[in-house]
Amino acid sequence: LRTSALVGGGLLIGITLDACSDKPTDVASTGAASAPSIQQNAWLAITTDGQVTFYSGQSEMGQGVYTALPTLLAEELEVPVSSVRVVAGPAGEQFINDLLGTQVTGGSTSVRDAWTKLRMAGAEARTRLLQAAADQWAVPVAQLKVANGVIRNDSGKQRGYGEHAEGAAKRPSPYQIALKPNSAFTPSGT
């Protein structure tokens, strides 16, 4: 939230820093999402209309963090990077940079620290979404394919992630989460 006022011939600008508040900004209150937001994990929310939101614990200071980190999520979620909305995450333990020991951006550590965390977050959400679709369609997960945030089954049914977001959020954390092999990367490295 930014406010401004003319004070004694000068300009005073007030800024509220969401990352310094007790809780994250409600996605719906930002005006960017009109559908209910389903929090999949600390870094990721998917609205029932399919909007994917990434909560970043790192700051964008011109080094490309707001491009590189959503790419890690998009890679595992099988969505275009351009479809991932980035929001500054709140202060919290889940956003601590393990290489630096605190929630901070610096030392060229953002991608190295987030490489596994964000890929696992994206893969867990994809796994939950696929399991929710399999349950709804009464088919094995192995019969499902996902591309561009749309799940398809062998019989031709297809639905976007948003339509499975609530079911996915209700599922327990999967016992095993399979990350894509580097050879299958699409946006990463391009």
Side-chain angles (χ1 to χ4, degrees):
L1 175 65
R2 295 177 185 199
T3 58
S4 62
L6 187 59
V7 180
L11 179 64
L12 173 68
I13 299 177
I15 300 173
T16 300
L17 301 174
D18 290 337
C20 296
S21 68
D22 291 18
K23 59 183 181 175
T25 300
D26 178 18
V27 175
S29 72
T30 66
S34 57
S37 179
I38 312 300
Q39 193 80 25
Q40 298 293 329
N41 52 51
W43 299 278
L44 176 64
I46 300 174
T47 58
T48 55
D49 66 359
Q51 173 64 60
V52 176
T53 301
F54 163 58
Y55 295 93
S56 177
Q58 274 66 40
S59 299
E60 175 60 65
M61 300 179 288
Q63 77 284 30
V65 167
Y66 278 13
T67 300
L69 300 185
T71 299
L72 299 175
L73 278 174
E75 185 71 69
E76 295 294 342
L77 267 177
E78 298 286 351
V79 298
V81 177
S82 61
S83 71
V84 179
R85 181 175 165 257
V86 181
V87 173
E93 287 184 32
Q94 64 274 24
F95 296 108
I96 288 176
N97 180 321
D98 292 330
L99 298 173
L100 300 175
T102 189
Q103 185 173 344
V104 66
T105 306
S108 298
T109 61
S110 294
V111 172
R112 287 186 291 144
D113 176 62
W115 181 260
T116 301
K117 290 177 192 177
L118 294 184
R119 288 185 61 212
M120 290 294 287
E124 178 180 347
R126 175 180 32 85
T127 300
R128 286 180 183 213
L129 289 158
L130 286 167
Q131 289 171 338
D135 289 350
Q136 188 173 42
W137 292 332
V139 299
V141 171
Q143 290 183 5
L144 302 177
K145 306 272 187 278
V146 63
N148 294 319
V150 176
I151 301 170
R152 293 173 177 81
N153 70 17
D154 290 345
S155 68
K157 282 186 183 177
Q158 66 179 32
R159 288 199 177 147
Y161 278 167
E163 296 172 89
H164 296 291
E166 287 186 64
K170 292 175 185 173
R171 296 196 58 83
S173 184
Y175 179 71
Q176 291 185 332
I177 301 170
L179 294 176
K180 290 171 65 174
N182 293 4
S183 62
F185 284 172
T186 308
S188 295
T190 57

